[in-house]
């Protein structure tokens, strides 16, 4: 190879990008990613020309998650795709949809009886009933469009667009009712009602625009790839909790406690994703080689992360000693507003190569891949809290024993997290032909991972809590509470290492020149519910 080609190859290794496909073919999964299938070629616009003819793909099982149970009659995933050629243009479309939902209801009833008089007859009874309801729904649909122009042995230009929509809705409600009764008199002694409702709605949308150019040199293809895409995720959360205790449910004297709490938060984050790089492929008669290296970036500039509001109300009403017509009343109201600002940055560098030897009736390949992920994030949260406490002793006179106290406070906290992770992969894959129609595949992927992370919380601003008390006579007292009354900071570091190997297997059956299927998950021949099957029709 002349110096010019060597220089081009070095440039490729410095700037190439290793892209992570959302869809994965059975051939790739079965051989630890060593042998690419049509799906991998379609996902890179400049490589669409590697797929011959008009193709239709479908998932009798799925290409992605491996969760289907074809023979068992269960699927939460749907995928369909095609590759076509028209007037020198190559196009590929893949669409995947996942839906999952469940609803659950449970009732728990407990009864407690007690003989307090010792006469072998029950005098006291408690009934505790709990009703729990859960409704969960999750949906994701992802569509990929890829187009390129140019023949396999010519310079090719390509463009791709991917849109991924994901959402979930989680609604949980728990209601508990406790009743206590005097079995001798028949009176109800107490009644307690607790209701907790949690409602969360999450949504995530990302779009990716990719440009691709491939330039053939002798038996080598050099591909330049770049992508850009905005993403947005939203979260809305609401929690309502109510507790009511009636200590005189039979009537007469008012005697109860009421506690009500509410939390509402809402945030939206917008990120920018981009990456660039080059891929080098060399396909000879007896071997195939590939080199990849690249850079990816995800940035979230300083932005409002979410606003959260919480409200707490407590009320107690009870009779007092100086008469059944006068009542002691105690109330507290607490509100907290939180505003958060966040800033994040993720960087990823990837490099790798693989070599596939073409043997008689077999392909044997091995690869080496390295990646480094760096994340840094910081958020600032501003807390404003107000507590109002009201007390009336019920004697009918506004005096110094009755009071209203208002306490306000404010604080600002910084939350910071950083991590640097390194990964080293050694995949090995083999594919061998049992005959002209049947192909067996095996794969093993060994990964070494080093994790380093740091997290810490700091208080950067603390306003002294101010307490203002006004009694029944109108006298007002202002008190500056200790600053800070309570202080909490946190720091955590971790360093870890892991090593593991994942094995895979599969087979391909070419039924005819126009139709083939691929199978995975068939190790247990007595239980076919876990089999995964994909189909490809070529015209």
């Amino acid at each position: 190879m002349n110096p010019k080609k060597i220089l081009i190859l070095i440039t490729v290794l410095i700037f190439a990008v290793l892209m992570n496909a959302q869809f994965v073919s059975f051939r790739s999964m079965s051989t630890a990613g060593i042998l690419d299938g049509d799906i991998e070629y379609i996902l890179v616009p400049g490589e669409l020309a590697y797929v011959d003819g008009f193709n239709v793909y479908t998932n009798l099982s799925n290409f992605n998650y491996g969760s289907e149970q074809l023979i068992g009659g269960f699927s939460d995933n749907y995928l369909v795709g095609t590759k076509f050629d028209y007037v020198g243009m190559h196009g590929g479309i893949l669409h995947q949809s996942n839906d999952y939902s469940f609803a659950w209801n449970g009732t728990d009833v407990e009864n407690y009886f007690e003989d307090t008089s010792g006469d072998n007859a029950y005098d006291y009874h408690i009934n505790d009933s709990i009703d729990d309801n859960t409704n969960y729904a999750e949906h994701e649909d992802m569509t990929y469009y890829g187009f390129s122009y140019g023949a396999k042995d010519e310079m090719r230009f390509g463009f791709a667009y991917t849109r991924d929509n994901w959402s979930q809705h989680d609604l949980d409600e728990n209601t508990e009712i406790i009743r206590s009764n005097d079995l001798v008199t028949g009176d109800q002694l107490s009644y307690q009602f607790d209701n907790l409702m949690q409602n969360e709605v999450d949504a995530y949308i990302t779009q990716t625009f990719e440009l691709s150019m491939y330039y053939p040199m002798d038996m080598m293809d050099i591909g330049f790839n770049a992508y850009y895409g905005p993403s947005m995720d939203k979260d809305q959360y609401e929690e309502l909790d109510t507790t009511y205790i009636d200590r005189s449910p039979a009537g007469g004297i008012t005697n109860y406690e009421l506690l009500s709490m509410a939390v509402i938060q809402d945030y939206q984050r917008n990120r920018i994703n981009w990456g660039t790089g080059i891929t080098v492929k060399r396909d000879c008669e007896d071997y195939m080689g590939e080199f990849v290296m690249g850079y990816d970036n995800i940035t979230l500039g300083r932005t409002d992360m979410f606003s959260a509001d919480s409200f707490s109300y407590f009320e107690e009403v009870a009779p007092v000693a100086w008469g059944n017509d006068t009542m002691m009343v105690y109330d507290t109201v607490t509100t907290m507003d939180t505003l958060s600002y966040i800033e994040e940055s993720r960087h990823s560098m990837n490099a790798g190569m693989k070599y596939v030897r073409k043997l008689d009736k077999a392909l044997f390949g091995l690869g080496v891949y390295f990646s480094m992920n760096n994340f840094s994030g910081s958020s600032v949260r501003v807390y404003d809290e107000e507590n109002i406490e009201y007390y009336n002793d019920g004697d009918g006179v506004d005096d110094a024993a009755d009071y209203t106290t208002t306490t306000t406070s404010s604080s600002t906290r910084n939350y910071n997290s950083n991590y640097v992770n390194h990964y080293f992969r050694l995949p090995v894959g083999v594919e061998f032909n049992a005959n002209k129609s049947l192909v067996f595949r095996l794969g093993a992927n060994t990964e070494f991972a080093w994790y380093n992370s740091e997290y810490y919380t700091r208080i950067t601003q603390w306003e002294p809590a101010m307490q203002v008390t006004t009694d029944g006579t109108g006298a007002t007292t202002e008190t500056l509470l200790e600053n800070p009354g309570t202080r909490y900071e946190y720091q955590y570091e971790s360093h870890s290492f892991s090593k593991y190997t994942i094995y895979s297997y599969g087979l391909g059956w070419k039924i005819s020149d126009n139709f083939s299927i691929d199978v995975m998950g068939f190790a247990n021949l007595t239980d076919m519910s876990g089999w995964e099957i994909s189909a490809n029709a070529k015209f």
Side-chain angles (χ1 to χ4, degrees):
M1 184 179 292
N2 62 42
K4 181 179 178 181
K5 292 183 179 180
I6 294 177
L7 179 60
I8 292 175
L9 181 58
I10 294 174
T11 304
V12 166
L13 293 178
I14 294 176
F15 295 103
V17 63
L18 181 62
M19 304 297 292
N20 295 318
Q22 297 294 320
F23 306 94
V24 184
S25 70
F26 274 27
R27 190 187 192 199
S28 179
M29 285 193 292
S30 301
T31 59
I34 289 296
L35 301 179
D36 293 333
D38 289 352
I39 299 298
E40 282 71 37
Y41 293 140
I42 291 175
L43 289 170
V44 181
E47 297 183 1
L48 273 164
Y50 295 159
V51 182
D52 297 324
F54 175 74
N55 294 259
V56 176
Y57 307 92
T58 184
N59 62 331
L60 298 177
S61 185
N62 72 64
F63 286 102
N64 205 11
Y65 297 107
S67 61
E68 308 289 337
Q69 295 184 7
L70 172 66
I71 307 301
F74 166 77
S75 172
D76 60 5
N77 175 274
Y78 173 75
L79 183 143
V80 66
T82 182
K83 187 269 174 182
F84 58 89
D85 301 323
Y86 180 75
V87 193
M89 178 176 288
H90 310 278
I93 301 174
L94 294 173
H95 175 77
Q96 177 175 277
S97 177
N98 305 294
D99 287 282
Y100 176 70
S101 64
F102 72 88
W104 180 84
N105 173 263
T107 301
D108 185 8
V109 179
E110 294 184 7
N111 287 283
Y112 172 79
F113 298 89
E114 184 178 357
D115 177 12
T116 58
S117 61
D119 60 355
N120 295 323
Y122 291 121
D123 306 294
Y124 183 64
H125 170 227
I126 297 178
N127 175 265
D128 187 351
S129 63
I130 300 175
D131 189 22
D132 197 0
N133 294 274
T134 297
N135 289 275
Y136 179 84
E138 181 177 328
H139 171 78
E140 180 180 20
D141 62 82
M142 181 167 51
T143 305
Y144 167 88
Y145 303 91
F147 301 93
S148 70
Y149 182 81
K152 185 177 181 180
D153 55 351
E154 299 175 348
M155 181 177 289
R156 304 183 299 277
F157 299 90
F159 170 79
Y161 170 75
T162 304
R163 183 180 178 90
D164 187 5
N165 301 296
W166 176 87
S167 64
Q168 75 168 9
H169 184 196
D170 189 3
L171 175 61
D172 297 292
E173 186 170 9
N174 180 281
T175 301
E176 181 176 15
I177 298 176
I178 303 175
R179 299 178 176 90
S180 63
N181 299 280
D182 188 326
L183 298 179
V184 178
T185 64
D187 294 335
Q188 186 173 347
L189 302 177
S190 66
Y191 171 85
Q192 179 173 333
F193 172 85
D194 295 296
N195 178 262
L196 174 63
M197 188 276 291
Q198 296 170 305
N199 186 30
E200 183 173 9
V201 179
D202 300 319
Y204 176 81
I205 300 174
T206 181
Q207 301 180 83
T208 304
F209 303 87
E210 182 181 356
L211 293 176
S212 180
M213 183 186 74
Y214 270 67
Y215 179 71
M217 295 180 58
D218 296 334
M219 299 182 68
M220 177 187 299
D221 271 9
I222 301 178
F224 297 84
N225 301 284
Y227 72 91
Y228 168 85
S231 65
M232 179 272 293
D233 62 282
K234 298 181 64 176
D235 177 83
Q236 295 175 316
Y237 178 77
E238 180 183 16
E239 178 179 329
L240 302 175
D241 190 2
T242 302
T243 301
Y244 175 74
I245 301 174
D246 188 349
R247 292 186 289 255
S248 181
I253 301 174
T254 302
N255 190 349
Y256 69 87
E257 291 182 19
L258 173 64
L259 175 63
S260 179
M261 294 184 294
V263 177
I264 300 174
Q265 74 176 32
D266 186 4
Y267 76 77
Q268 176 175 318
R269 291 182 288 189
N270 298 282
R271 295 184 174 88
I272 297 299
N273 316 308
W274 64 273
T276 184
I278 305 171
T279 301
V280 176
K281 292 178 179 287
R282 183 176 179 90
D283 195 352
C284 300
E285 184 177 349
D286 55 350
Y287 77 91
M288 188 277 289
E290 181 181 79
F291 301 88
V292 289
M293 181 182 292
Y295 175 79
D296 299 280
N297 179 278
I298 302 176
T299 301
L300 173 67
R302 185 177 177 86
T303 184
D304 291 355
M305 178 182 173
F306 65 80
S307 62
D309 299 310
S310 63
F311 172 83
S312 174
Y313 174 76
F314 175 77
E315 179 182 63
E316 181 181 5
V317 177
V320 292
W322 40 75
N324 292 335
D325 294 333
T326 56
M327 309 296 298
M328 181 275 290
V329 178
Y330 177 79
D331 294 304
T332 63
V333 178
T334 302
T335 59
M336 177 179 287
D337 297 324
T338 305
L339 181 62
S340 178
Y341 307 92
I342 189 169
E343 190 172 14
E344 291 179 354
S345 178
R346 289 182 174 88
H347 308 274
S348 177
M349 297 187 64
N350 310 279
M353 60 179 293
K354 68 180 177 182
Y355 173 83
V356 179
R357 183 70 178 181
K358 301 177 181 179
L359 305 172
D360 185 25
K361 294 186 178 181
L363 298 173
F364 174 79
L366 68 162
V368 178
Y369 293 95
F370 172 80
S371 64
M372 178 184 70
N373 297 327
N374 188 319
F375 169 84
S376 61
S378 64
S379 64
V380 178
R381 299 186 184 181
V382 181
Y383 299 89
D384 294 310
E385 183 174 358
E386 181 182 68
N387 177 269
I388 301 175
E389 182 178 341
Y390 168 78
Y391 177 75
N392 186 326
D393 62 5
D395 62 359
V397 179
D398 292 333
D399 52 25
D402 307 318
Y403 64 86
T404 300
T405 299
T406 302
T407 305
T408 57
S409 63
S410 175
S411 64
T412 302
R413 294 178 174 89
N414 281 19
Y415 301 84
N416 294 271
S417 58
N418 302 280
Y419 69 73
V420 179
N421 299 332
H422 299 83
Y423 306 91
F424 184 69
R425 293 194 303 116
L426 296 172
V428 177
V430 62
E431 179 179 273
F432 55 92
N433 300 321
N435 52 50
K436 293 183 179 181
S437 301
L438 198 61
V439 176
F440 287 95
R441 306 182 182 112
L442 298 172
N445 180 47
T446 300
E447 180 169 305
F448 304 84
W450 294 264
Y451 306 96
N452 302 277
S453 62
E454 178 187 27
Y455 176 84
Y456 60 90
T457 301
R458 298 285 187 270
I459 297 176
T460 59
Q461 179 270 339
W462 189 293
E463 292 292 335
M466 177 63 70
Q467 188 176 82
V468 180
T469 300
T470 302
D471 63 23
T473 66
T476 300
T477 303
E478 294 187 1
T479 305
L480 188 65
L481 301 181
E482 183 183 357
N483 178 34
T486 307
R487 185 180 182 92
Y488 173 78
E489 294 187 344
Y490 177 78
Q491 183 168 345
Y492 173 79
E493 290 186 22
S494 69
H495 308 277
S496 61
F497 168 78
S498 68
K499 173 191 173 185
Y500 59 88
T501 300
I502 297 177
Y503 300 95
S504 54
Y505 62 92
L507 63 85
W509 181 21
K510 185 178 180 181
I511 299 176
S512 69
D513 291 338
N514 303 103
F515 188 74
S516 62
I517 63 173
D518 291 284
V519 184
M520 291 180 61
F522 53 86
N524 189 351
L525 298 179
T526 61
D527 181 9
M528 302 176 65
S529 63
W531 284 37
E532 303 161 50
I533 304 177
S534 68
N536 175 25
K538 180 176 294 188
F539 304 96

